[in-house]
Amino acid sequence: MADVTQREQSGDGYGDGDGNGNGNGNGNGYSHGDGYGHGDGHGDGDGGLRALAMRPVLRPGRWWAPTVGVLALIVAWGVAAWVVQYHRGLGSAGYNDHAFWAIYIADVVTFIGVSYGGAVVSAILRLTGAEWRAPLTRIAEGTAVVTVLIGGAFIFPHLGRPERILELIYRPNLSSPIFWDFVAVSTYAFASMVFFYLPLIPDLADAADRVTAAGRPRLGRLYRLVSWRWRATPAQRRILSGSVGLVAIMIIPLAVSVHSVLSWAFALTSRPWWHESIWAPYFVVAALYSGIALVIVIVALFRKLYGLQALIGERHFVRLGFILAPFGAAYLYLTLADFLPGGYVGDHGVAAVFSSVLVGRYAIGFWLFVVGGCIAPLLVIAIPRLRHTRQIVAAAVLVDLALWLKRMIMVVAPANYGRISGLFGSYHFTWISVSVTLAGVAAIPLLLLLLFRVVPILSVAEIEELAHAEQQVHIPSPAVIPAPTPVGVNTRRQPSDLLGRPATFDIAPETP
Amino acid sequence: MAHYGMLIDLTMCAQCSACTVACQTLYDRPPDQSGVYLLTYETGTFPAVKRTTLPVQCMQCQNPPCVSVCPTGASYRDSATGTVQIDASRCIGCRYCIAACPYGARQYSSTTGVVTKCTFCIGRVADGLEPACVETCIGHARVFGDLDDPGSDVNRAAAERHAVALRSDLGTRPSVYYAS
């Protein structure tokens, strides 16, 4: 009886996904010959999975245009604010001789930082063969590309003379950390695009006919052009999987270098609190922590927008939470390790800056970060009763807000401190700086909505490949083999997980 | 080749701010910015309190951190005069030099979008004049000259009055010295 129930549930789950997607699903379990059907091969082309992946491209829904419109308005407002700032001078964004670096640098660090999360979720999970990653990779990689571009763009409002930015290329000063920031960030941005593009090739080749048939012939031609005559031959597969593996390996040290070089822009000056050896690992861990949090938020958002609940279940969020937690703990630890030596010795400038952060003018922000950005998210993930999708997503939002606040303090407190006078200046927010920053935030969903309007939101080839490999190993027919007893995080597995296949990736043996 | 330097004798400073005003007037600086600014401290406990002033400006370091961090080379050390200068036409306004300068000697001009600072009035010096702050100082607290010339006024005064540099522990090797 248990077998039957399991099968029915599975069938339902599958049917749901299908029905949401294109209306051709009839929810009758295994009998319809979908690409995802068991043991009946792949490539039917009308499968629920494909429909789900292509829905944002072909029929995103009626909400799509108004949402994009509102987000575009917010971004346009921010750009307008920047134009006003350009004419009035940076003083209109709250800058002065003491607060010479402030909100825009915090934005640069935050946005480039969160980009690392997308890259790492995809790269590390790929390299370790974590198969549950499959429905998440495309969204994660897309987030990485989009956020690094936004982060890079924040350098423009920061500059007093942005029109001279090319001086950085024509006549760079090689001893300046900012030049190396530029090199590292552009290299990483390019690599993240390659990392996004490579796994896309089989999906685009696969979807080319589909979009042409759906009345988008130009998109079909584009797909054919950028998918390089992909026919999934064994040689092509070998080359692609080798290249993806190589880029996945390369992007990890590349991202470590980006965040280290970003931190050295601060640490290579003699300012108290900036001039510390801990800053490079500090930035790397902060980037991972806030980045994984952003992946959680974005995955939750797009799961809801595009009805991906059949593929992305609570267990995905729980696992992302399990990845998030150690980085949160590590960041809390680094914060302690950062403050203790300087605070204990009480060197003149360091003591002044630390007391302003711990008990002085920046204390509210700092303790909000500690409690809201580290302790609360850790508790959500540590306590089983709280460890549910909604709470984990809320915790992830908190992490990102708190880490922005922390970076703001890290930038402003030492900048404001006059080393000769021993006095603090002050920075204040203005409508201009806030508008520009909010435009950056709105640009993340905006660019992702636009991105998934032209490329499939799911890595179809990867999902199928992993499912196929697993099937060959141990599931001849789901009707014969009883469902395995759920263990650990799987206890909250939903019946519709992963298109309702009775055996999920969790308990699959190692694929050959 | 020269290496211009300055001695500021704090015992002769009248705290009048004439140096600040002269700099602002000559270079058309806004009221809250100047190449020279005065830091005023109160020391001691009432009734035995004392007010002391420290005039701060670009130290024209021989190992200037602002120059090494400048991404475009707009900040540079002019070897002919031994001074640190800014090529305003190449400054992108990133303000990294302000971050690197330990003395708070650099200012960002919100109107021009570039960074400015004390130039040691290098144009006046080339014309055989003294920097504006030196010429205007009513207490003759400032002595300007070539540090490479052992017989120059600034070298002799610095030796006589046991002059010291500000925050020499940072390895910046300033060209401005203080006597107190």
Side-chain angles (χ1 to χ4, degrees):
Chain A
M1 187 57 212
D3 295 358
V4 177
T5 313
Q6 179 69 40
R7 191 178 65 171
E8 277 171 4
Q9 281 178 343
S10 308
D12 284 349
Y14 196 172
D16 283 348
D18 224 352
N20 285 342
N22 56 9
N24 75 349
N26 45 17
N28 63 355
Y30 305 109
S31 58
H32 63 88
D34 267 323
Y36 225 85
H38 293 274
D40 58 359
H42 299 271
D44 179 288
D46 280 326
L49 181 62
R50 283 188 171 72
L52 220 49
M54 290 306 290
R55 192 170 76 149
V57 177
L58 298 176
R59 272 184 302 252
R62 225 175 285 167
W63 54 268
W64 193 86
T67 310
V68 166
V70 169
L71 291 172
L73 271 181
I74 299 174
V75 173
W77 174 258
V79 173
W82 175 46
V83 173
V84 173
Q85 176 199 301
Y86 183 73
H87 286 287
R88 291 190 191 165
L90 266 161
S92 62
Y95 282 76
N96 54 56
D97 287 333
H98 304 287
F100 50 85
W101 277 12
I103 186 167
Y104 296 137
I105 286 291
D107 292 341
V108 168
V109 173
T110 303
F111 280 93
I112 293 178
V114 291
S115 171
Y116 195 6
V120 90
V121 163
S122 189
I124 292 184
L125 297 184
R126 227 178 251 286
L127 293 173
T128 53
E131 294 168 348
W132 57 275
R133 74 176 191 270
L136 310 176
T137 49
R138 181 68 38 80
I139 302 177
E141 287 155 15
T143 309
V145 172
V146 159
T147 45
V148 73
L149 293 180
I150 299 171
F154 265 104
I155 207 69
F156 288 98
H158 171 78
L159 293 181
R161 298 298 287 262
E163 74 276 10
R164 291 182 185 159
I165 185 88
L166 291 179
E167 288 277 342
L168 211 54
I169 299 165
Y170 295 152
R171 290 183 284 190
N173 174 15
L174 299 190
S175 72
S176 170
I178 285 195
F179 171 71
W180 294 104
D181 279 346
F182 170 73
V183 171
V185 172
S186 9
T187 314
Y188 169 72
F190 178 72
S192 70
M193 284 179 214
V194 172
F195 193 46
F196 178 76
Y197 170 64
L198 286 181
L200 199 58
I201 293 174
D203 288 352
L204 293 184
D206 188 51
D209 292 333
R210 207 178 161 85
V211 292
T212 309
R216 303 272 295 277
R218 259 187 296 172
L219 194 60
R221 275 203 295 281
L222 180 70
Y223 279 11
R224 255 174 236 117
L225 185 74
V226 297
S227 59
W228 295 89
R229 299 185 190 181
W230 173 265
R231 272 186 233 90
T233 62
Q236 283 181 329
R237 278 168 184 275
R238 207 168 44 244
I239 293 170
L240 185 70
S241 109
S243 323
V244 172
L246 190 66
V247 179
I249 291 170
M250 277 166 52
I251 205 154
I252 295 170
L254 202 57
V256 169
S257 77
V258 168
H259 300 294
S260 301
V261 176
L262 269 182
S263 82
W264 290 329
F266 299 91
L268 297 188
T269 68
S270 58
R271 282 188 179 266
W273 198 20
W274 281 4
H275 182 53
E276 288 188 18
S277 54
I278 203 172
W279 271 49
Y282 218 7
F283 269 49
V284 172
V285 172
L288 282 164
Y289 185 39
S290 61
I292 293 163
L294 187 74
V295 167
I296 293 176
V297 176
I298 295 292
V299 165
L301 183 69
F302 279 80
R303 175 179 96 126
K304 196 162 180 66
L305 288 177
Y306 289 125
L308 304 176
Q309 287 89 344
L311 280 165
I312 302 168
E314 182 159 288
R315 64 195 195 95
H316 289 96
F317 291 101
V318 170
R319 291 192 164 186
L320 286 172
F322 284 159
I323 300 178
L324 183 73
F327 288 112
Y331 195 65
L332 202 56
Y333 160 70
L334 285 179
T335 306
L336 174 72
D338 180 21
F339 279 100
L340 186 62
Y344 191 90
V345 173
D347 202 15
H348 190 60
V350 175
V353 173
F354 279 8
S355 73
S356 79
V357 172
L358 297 175
V359 292
R361 58 175 65 201
Y362 305 109
I364 293 176
F366 177 77
W367 293 106
L368 267 179
F369 147 77
V370 170
V371 175
C374 289
I375 294 174
L378 281 176
L379 289 180
V380 166
I381 291 153
I383 300 171
R385 207 151 42 84
L386 297 175
R387 203 188 297 140
H388 297 295
T389 305
R390 197 166 296 176
Q391 286 87 334
I392 293 173
V393 173
V397 171
L398 266 185
V399 169
D400 278 329
L401 291 177
L403 262 90
W404 177 82
L405 196 61
K406 174 82 190 313
R407 279 146 175 160
M408 195 69 204
I409 294 169
M410 288 168 90
V411 172
V412 170
N416 267 340
Y417 178 69
R419 275 174 286 175
I420 300 297
S421 66
L423 301 172
F424 281 93
S426 65
Y427 175 78
H428 58 272
F429 295 107
T430 66
W431 71 269
I432 289 181
S433 61
V434 172
S435 302
V436 174
T437 302
L438 287 180
V441 177
I444 300 177
L446 175 68
L447 292 179
L448 284 173
L449 283 172
L450 293 173
L451 183 66
F452 295 129
R453 191 80 174 87
V454 287
V455 303
I457 192 167
L458 297 170
S459 186
V460 176
E462 200 176 352
I463 297 175
E464 283 188 348
E465 193 176 314
L466 291 174
H468 189 57
E470 184 201 341
Q471 250 172 44
Q472 285 177 332
V473 174
H474 81 135
I475 308 181
S477 157
V480 180
I481 295 181
T485 314
V487 287
V489 291
N490 306 337
T491 47
R492 258 188 298 284
R493 190 199 314 149
Q494 289 161 358
S496 57
D497 266 3
L498 281 159
L499 296 181
R501 289 166 340 93
T504 65
F505 294 145
D506 296 323
I507 38 74
E510 286 294 318
T511 51
Chain B
M1 300 293 272
H3 172 202
Y4 291 117
M6 191 184 285
L7 170 76
I8 302 175
D9 191 335
L10 300 178
T11 60
M12 291 157 85
C13 173
Q15 310 177 9
C16 69
S17 294
C19 47
T20 304
V21 174
C23 184
Q24 285 173 324
T25 314
L26 187 60
Y27 296 104
D28 203 15
R29 311 287 303 274
D32 59 337
Q33 291 189 333
S34 172
V36 188
Y37 65 98
L38 302 189
L39 282 176
T40 305
Y41 299 91
E42 282 176 9
T43 50
T45 46
F46 182 81
V49 280
K50 199 179 155 199
R51 198 156 174 255
T52 49
T53 296
L54 185 71
V56 180
Q57 63 198 74
C58 174
M59 300 289 149
Q60 313 291 349
C61 304
Q62 289 177 271
N63 181 21
C66 54
V67 168
S68 32
V69 301
C70 177
T72 64
S75 278
Y76 64 98
R77 189 162 184 277
D78 178 22
S79 54
T81 58
T83 59
V84 176
Q85 302 292 341
I86 301 173
D87 179 351
S89 69
R90 291 174 65 182
C91 175
I92 59 172
C94 72
R95 308 183 289 291
Y96 198 6
C97 52
I98 302 182
C101 175
Y103 305 104
R106 287 172 167 250
Q107 287 122 24
Y108 173 75
S109 164
S110 198
T111 45
T112 58
V114 296
V115 172
T116 61
K117 69 172 192 72
C118 162
T119 61
F120 255 13
C121 286
I122 210 66
R124 285 172 58 91
V125 171
D127 293 343
L129 299 168
E130 288 192 309
C133 56
V134 177
E135 195 173 280
T136 198
C137 182
I138 58 166
H140 300 285
R142 291 165 178 269
V143 183
F144 180 79
D146 185 355
L147 292 173
D148 278 353
D149 173 6
S152 67
D153 289 351
V154 64
N155 259 339
R156 270 187 288 136
E160 278 168 19
R161 303 180 208 177
H162 307 290
V164 293
L166 212 52
R167 290 300 306 265
S168 53
D169 57 315
L170 294 172
T172 50
R173 292 160 64 209
S175 305
V176 174
Y177 291 88
Y178 292 87
S180 59

